[in-house]
Short mmCIF file of all heavy atoms in Angstrom, two decimals:
data_model
loop_
_atom_site.label_atom_id
_atom_site.label_comp_id
_atom_site.label_asym_id
_atom_site.label_seq_id
_atom_site.Cartn_x
_atom_site.Cartn_y
_atom_site.Cartn_z
N VAL A 492 15.71 25.15 11.36
CA VAL A 492 15.34 25.04 9.95
C VAL A 492 16.55 24.58 9.14
O VAL A 492 17.68 25.02 9.39
CB VAL A 492 14.83 26.40 9.40
CG1 VAL A 492 14.47 26.29 7.92
CG2 VAL A 492 13.62 26.89 10.20
N GLY A 493 16.30 23.70 8.18
CA GLY A 493 17.31 23.30 7.23
C GLY A 493 16.78 23.47 5.82
O GLY A 493 15.57 23.58 5.60
N LEU A 494 17.68 23.49 4.83
CA LEU A 494 17.27 23.77 3.45
C LEU A 494 17.97 22.82 2.48
O LEU A 494 19.19 22.68 2.49
CB LEU A 494 17.60 25.22 3.09
CG LEU A 494 17.25 25.68 1.67
CD1 LEU A 494 15.75 25.63 1.43
CD2 LEU A 494 17.79 27.10 1.44
N TRP A 495 17.17 22.15 1.63
CA TRP A 495 17.66 21.33 0.53
C TRP A 495 17.07 21.87 -0.78
O TRP A 495 16.04 22.57 -0.78
CB TRP A 495 17.22 19.88 0.67
CG TRP A 495 17.88 19.08 1.76
CD1 TRP A 495 18.71 19.53 2.75
CD2 TRP A 495 17.72 17.67 1.95
NE1 TRP A 495 19.10 18.48 3.55
CE2 TRP A 495 18.51 17.32 3.09
CE3 TRP A 495 17.02 16.66 1.29
CZ2 TRP A 495 18.59 16.02 3.56
CZ3 TRP A 495 17.10 15.36 1.76
CH2 TRP A 495 17.89 15.03 2.88
N VAL A 496 17.71 21.49 -1.88
CA VAL A 496 17.11 21.63 -3.21
C VAL A 496 17.12 20.25 -3.84
O VAL A 496 17.90 19.37 -3.46
CB VAL A 496 17.88 22.65 -4.08
CG1 VAL A 496 17.69 24.06 -3.55
CG2 VAL A 496 19.37 22.29 -4.16
N PHE A 497 16.23 20.04 -4.83
CA PHE A 497 16.19 18.73 -5.48
C PHE A 497 15.73 18.85 -6.93
O PHE A 497 15.02 19.78 -7.31
CB PHE A 497 15.28 17.76 -4.72
CG PHE A 497 13.80 18.06 -4.78
CD1 PHE A 497 12.98 17.43 -5.71
CD2 PHE A 497 13.23 18.98 -3.91
CE1 PHE A 497 11.62 17.70 -5.76
CE2 PHE A 497 11.86 19.26 -3.95
CZ PHE A 497 11.05 18.62 -4.88
N SER A 498 16.19 17.92 -7.73
CA SER A 498 15.69 17.73 -9.11
C SER A 498 16.05 16.29 -9.48
O SER A 498 15.47 15.36 -8.92
CB SER A 498 16.29 18.76 -10.08
OG SER A 498 17.70 18.70 -10.07
N THR A 499 17.02 16.07 -10.40
CA THR A 499 17.54 14.72 -10.67
C THR A 499 19.05 14.80 -10.79
O THR A 499 19.59 15.74 -11.39
CB THR A 499 16.96 14.14 -11.99
OG1 THR A 499 17.10 15.09 -13.04
CG2 THR A 499 15.49 13.77 -11.81
N ARG A 500 19.71 13.80 -10.16
CA ARG A 500 21.18 13.72 -10.18
C ARG A 500 21.81 15.08 -9.87
O ARG A 500 22.68 15.57 -10.60
CB ARG A 500 21.67 13.18 -11.53
CG ARG A 500 21.30 11.72 -11.73
CD ARG A 500 21.76 11.21 -13.09
NE ARG A 500 21.57 9.77 -13.19
CZ ARG A 500 20.40 9.19 -13.44
NH1 ARG A 500 19.33 9.94 -13.63
NH2 ARG A 500 20.30 7.87 -13.49
N LEU A 501 21.40 15.63 -8.78
CA LEU A 501 21.85 16.97 -8.41
C LEU A 501 23.18 16.93 -7.67
O LEU A 501 23.95 17.89 -7.71
CB LEU A 501 20.77 17.63 -7.54
CG LEU A 501 20.83 19.14 -7.37
CD1 LEU A 501 20.73 19.85 -8.72
CD2 LEU A 501 19.71 19.60 -6.45
N ASP A 502 23.42 15.83 -6.98
CA ASP A 502 24.66 15.69 -6.22
C ASP A 502 25.19 14.28 -6.48
O ASP A 502 24.90 13.34 -5.73
CB ASP A 502 24.38 15.90 -4.73
CG ASP A 502 25.65 15.88 -3.89
OD1 ASP A 502 26.75 15.87 -4.48
OD2 ASP A 502 25.54 15.88 -2.65
N GLY A 503 25.92 14.14 -7.57
CA GLY A 503 26.32 12.80 -7.99
C GLY A 503 25.09 12.04 -8.45
O GLY A 503 24.33 12.51 -9.30
N SER A 504 24.85 10.87 -7.86
CA SER A 504 23.67 10.09 -8.21
C SER A 504 22.44 10.50 -7.41
O SER A 504 21.33 10.04 -7.67
CB SER A 504 23.94 8.60 -7.99
OG SER A 504 24.22 8.36 -6.60
N ARG A 505 22.62 11.39 -6.44
CA ARG A 505 21.51 11.82 -5.59
C ARG A 505 20.66 12.88 -6.29
O ARG A 505 21.18 13.73 -7.02
CB ARG A 505 22.02 12.38 -4.27
CG ARG A 505 22.68 11.36 -3.37
CD ARG A 505 23.19 12.04 -2.11
NE ARG A 505 23.75 11.08 -1.17
CZ ARG A 505 24.32 11.42 -0.02
NH1 ARG A 505 24.42 12.70 0.31
NH2 ARG A 505 24.80 10.48 0.78
N ASP A 506 19.36 12.82 -6.01
CA ASP A 506 18.43 13.80 -6.59
C ASP A 506 18.34 15.07 -5.74
O ASP A 506 17.59 15.98 -6.09
CB ASP A 506 17.03 13.19 -6.71
CG ASP A 506 16.99 12.10 -7.78
OD1 ASP A 506 17.88 12.09 -8.65
OD2 ASP A 506 16.07 11.26 -7.72
N TYR A 507 19.03 15.14 -4.65
CA TYR A 507 18.91 16.27 -3.71
C TYR A 507 20.30 16.71 -3.24
O TYR A 507 21.28 15.96 -3.32
CB TYR A 507 18.07 15.85 -2.48
CG TYR A 507 18.55 14.57 -1.84
CD1 TYR A 507 19.50 14.59 -0.83
CD2 TYR A 507 18.07 13.33 -2.28
CE1 TYR A 507 19.97 13.41 -0.27
CE2 TYR A 507 18.54 12.14 -1.72
CZ TYR A 507 19.49 12.19 -0.72
OH TYR A 507 19.96 11.03 -0.16
N ARG A 508 20.34 17.97 -2.78
CA ARG A 508 21.59 18.49 -2.23
C ARG A 508 21.27 19.37 -1.03
O ARG A 508 20.35 20.21 -1.07
CB ARG A 508 22.35 19.30 -3.28
CG ARG A 508 23.69 19.84 -2.75
CD ARG A 508 24.56 20.45 -3.83
NE ARG A 508 24.00 21.69 -4.34
CZ ARG A 508 23.64 21.90 -5.59
NH1 ARG A 508 23.73 20.91 -6.48
NH2 ARG A 508 23.16 23.07 -5.98
N GLN A 509 22.02 19.18 0.04
CA GLN A 509 21.84 20.01 1.23
C GLN A 509 22.53 21.35 1.03
O GLN A 509 23.70 21.41 0.67
CB GLN A 509 22.44 19.29 2.45
CG GLN A 509 22.39 20.13 3.72
CD GLN A 509 22.97 19.39 4.91
OE1 GLN A 509 22.31 18.56 5.51
NE2 GLN A 509 24.22 19.70 5.24
N LEU A 510 21.79 22.44 1.28
CA LEU A 510 22.37 23.77 1.26
C LEU A 510 22.72 24.25 2.67
O LEU A 510 23.78 24.82 2.89
CB LEU A 510 21.41 24.77 0.59
CG LEU A 510 21.03 24.51 -0.86
CD1 LEU A 510 20.16 25.65 -1.38
CD2 LEU A 510 22.27 24.33 -1.73
N VAL A 511 21.80 24.00 3.61
CA VAL A 511 22.02 24.39 5.01
C VAL A 511 21.47 23.26 5.88
O VAL A 511 20.32 22.86 5.72
CB VAL A 511 21.31 25.71 5.36
CG1 VAL A 511 21.60 26.11 6.80
CG2 VAL A 511 21.73 26.83 4.40
N PRO A 512 22.28 22.72 6.80
CA PRO A 512 21.76 21.66 7.68
C PRO A 512 20.73 22.21 8.65
O PRO A 512 20.65 23.43 8.87
CB PRO A 512 23.02 21.18 8.42
CG PRO A 512 23.91 22.37 8.42
CD PRO A 512 23.67 23.07 7.11
N ILE A 513 19.93 21.34 9.24
CA ILE A 513 18.93 21.77 10.22
C ILE A 513 19.65 22.33 11.44
O ILE A 513 20.48 21.66 12.06
CB ILE A 513 18.01 20.61 10.63
CG1 ILE A 513 17.29 20.03 9.41
CG2 ILE A 513 16.99 21.08 11.66
CD1 ILE A 513 16.48 18.78 9.70
N GLY A 514 19.32 23.55 11.77
CA GLY A 514 19.93 24.21 12.93
C GLY A 514 19.08 25.38 13.36
O GLY A 514 18.20 25.85 12.62
N THR A 515 19.31 25.88 14.55
CA THR A 515 18.49 26.98 15.07
C THR A 515 18.74 28.26 14.29
O THR A 515 19.88 28.54 13.86
CB THR A 515 18.77 27.22 16.56
OG1 THR A 515 20.15 27.55 16.74
CG2 THR A 515 18.42 25.99 17.39
N LEU A 516 17.70 29.05 14.16
CA LEU A 516 17.81 30.31 13.43
C LEU A 516 18.68 31.31 14.18
O LEU A 516 19.22 32.23 13.55
CB LEU A 516 16.42 30.89 13.16
CG LEU A 516 15.58 30.13 12.13
CD1 LEU A 516 14.22 30.80 11.96
CD2 LEU A 516 16.30 30.06 10.79
N SER A 517 18.81 31.14 15.46
CA SER A 517 19.68 32.05 16.22
C SER A 517 21.11 31.99 15.73
O SER A 517 21.86 32.96 15.85
CB SER A 517 19.63 31.72 17.71
OG SER A 517 20.08 30.39 17.95
N SER A 518 21.50 30.86 15.14
CA SER A 518 22.90 30.70 14.70
C SER A 518 23.06 30.72 13.19
O SER A 518 24.18 30.90 12.70
CB SER A 518 23.47 29.39 15.25
OG SER A 518 22.75 28.27 14.74
N GLN A 519 21.96 30.55 12.42
CA GLN A 519 22.16 30.43 10.98
C GLN A 519 21.09 31.11 10.14
O GLN A 519 20.89 30.74 8.97
CB GLN A 519 22.28 28.96 10.59
CG GLN A 519 21.06 28.09 10.87
CD GLN A 519 21.28 26.64 10.44
OE1 GLN A 519 22.38 26.10 10.55
NE2 GLN A 519 20.23 26.02 9.94
N ARG A 520 20.42 32.10 10.69
CA ARG A 520 19.39 32.79 9.90
C ARG A 520 20.01 33.44 8.65
O ARG A 520 19.47 33.33 7.55
CB ARG A 520 18.68 33.83 10.75
CG ARG A 520 17.51 34.50 10.02
CD ARG A 520 16.87 35.60 10.87
NE ARG A 520 16.23 35.08 12.05
CZ ARG A 520 14.96 34.68 12.09
NH1 ARG A 520 14.22 34.71 10.98
NH2 ARG A 520 14.43 34.25 13.22
N SER A 521 21.10 34.14 8.83
CA SER A 521 21.70 34.84 7.69
C SER A 521 22.18 33.85 6.63
O SER A 521 22.09 34.12 5.42
CB SER A 521 22.87 35.71 8.16
OG SER A 521 23.88 34.93 8.78
N GLU A 522 22.67 32.67 7.05
CA GLU A 522 23.10 31.65 6.10
C GLU A 522 21.92 31.16 5.28
O GLU A 522 22.03 30.95 4.06
CB GLU A 522 23.76 30.49 6.85
CG GLU A 522 24.36 29.43 5.94
CD GLU A 522 25.02 28.30 6.71
OE1 GLU A 522 25.06 28.37 7.95
OE2 GLU A 522 25.47 27.35 6.06
N LEU A 523 20.78 30.97 5.91
CA LEU A 523 19.58 30.52 5.20
C LEU A 523 19.10 31.58 4.22
O LEU A 523 18.73 31.26 3.08
CB LEU A 523 18.48 30.17 6.20
CG LEU A 523 18.57 28.79 6.84
CD1 LEU A 523 17.72 28.74 8.11
CD2 LEU A 523 18.11 27.71 5.86
N VAL A 524 19.11 32.83 4.65
CA VAL A 524 18.68 33.90 3.76
C VAL A 524 19.57 33.95 2.52
O VAL A 524 19.10 34.07 1.38
CB VAL A 524 18.70 35.26 4.51
CG1 VAL A 524 18.49 36.42 3.53
CG2 VAL A 524 17.64 35.29 5.59
N GLY A 525 20.87 33.82 2.72
CA GLY A 525 21.79 33.83 1.60
C GLY A 525 21.60 32.64 0.68
O GLY A 525 21.66 32.77 -0.55
N ALA A 526 21.35 31.46 1.27
CA ALA A 526 21.16 30.26 0.46
C ALA A 526 19.90 30.37 -0.39
O ALA A 526 19.89 29.97 -1.57
CB ALA A 526 21.09 29.03 1.36
N LEU A 527 18.83 30.88 0.19
CA LEU A 527 17.60 31.07 -0.58
C LEU A 527 17.82 32.01 -1.75
O LEU A 527 17.34 31.77 -2.87
CB LEU A 527 16.49 31.61 0.33
CG LEU A 527 15.80 30.62 1.26
CD1 LEU A 527 14.92 31.36 2.27
CD2 LEU A 527 14.95 29.63 0.47
N ALA A 528 18.56 33.08 -1.50
CA ALA A 528 18.79 34.07 -2.55
C ALA A 528 19.59 33.49 -3.71
O ALA A 528 19.48 33.96 -4.86
CB ALA A 528 19.51 35.29 -1.97
N GLY A 529 20.36 32.44 -3.45
CA GLY A 529 21.22 31.89 -4.49
C GLY A 529 20.62 30.73 -5.26
O GLY A 529 21.28 30.19 -6.16
#
Side-chain angles (χ1 to χ4, degrees):
V492 179
L494 179 63
W495 289 9
V496 291
F497 70 96
S498 58
T499 49
R500 292 179 172 79
L501 197 59
D502 185 9
S504 62
R505 293 179 176 176
D506 291 340
Y507 51 90
R508 182 171 69 241
Q509 176 179 281
L510 299 185
V511 182
I513 301 174
T515 60
L516 289 179
S517 60
S518 62
Q519 62 180 35
R520 186 184 293 271
S521 60
E522 185 180 357
L523 278 161
V524 170
L527 282 169

